[in-house]
Amino acid sequence: MTNFEEKLKRLEELSASIKKSDISLEDALKDFEEGIKLAKSMEKSLDEMESKIQILMNNPEVSEEDEKSAQRKKQKSKSENAPVLGLFDESSEITGTRA
């Protein structure tokens, strides 16, 4: 699918399909999985559009290279804000041997 509108239409079709009472569980699960993938793709597209709008609102004479740089900074800040689980940090390491 090439554009946002087509993806939205397909997502609406999948939603309607899942709501039918005669759909099998397997088909519903398949449609749900496709819908989740579409929704994530659409969310990414919306984030990119929002970034472009922010750039244009702040500096209408921005170049395409500046736009790409801003997107990279946004991606970097997302990864920096990712939660740290700390499941295997050094302070919790168990030392010794089993008997």
Side-chain angles (χ1 to χ4, degrees):
M1 286 179 216
T2 56
N3 67 32
F4 190 85
E5 289 79 14
E6 289 174 357
K7 290 177 182 180
L8 181 58
K9 182 178 179 185
R10 178 65 182 148
L11 188 59
E12 289 170 345
E13 290 169 358
L14 292 168
S15 177
S17 174
I18 290 171
K19 292 175 184 177
K20 292 180 182 176
S21 61
D22 62 341
I23 189 170
S24 71
L25 183 59
E26 292 82 15
D27 288 341
L29 183 58
K30 184 182 76 169
D31 288 352
F32 181 78
E33 185 177 359
E34 183 182 348
I36 292 295
K37 288 177 185 177
L38 275 173
K40 286 182 181 182
S41 170
M42 293 168 67
E43 183 177 21
K44 183 179 176 185
S45 295
L46 285 172
D47 286 344
E48 290 170 0
M49 288 180 218
E50 180 182 10
S51 178
K52 288 179 183 180
I53 290 170
Q54 289 291 333
I55 291 169
L56 291 171
M57 294 296 289
N58 293 327
N59 187 7
E61 297 177 13
V62 70
S63 71
E64 194 169 312
E65 185 58 37
D66 291 338
E67 199 174 300
K68 289 178 183 176
S69 175
Q71 288 177 355
R72 283 191 293 267
K73 286 179 185 177
K74 184 177 179 181
Q75 289 296 332
K76 184 178 178 185
S77 70
K78 279 185 178 181
S79 64
E80 289 173 353
N81 293 331
V84 178
L85 299 176
L87 297 175
F88 300 105
D89 59 39
E90 294 174 17
S91 64
S92 66
E93 186 175 325
I94 299 174
T95 58
T97 59
R98 288 190 174 180

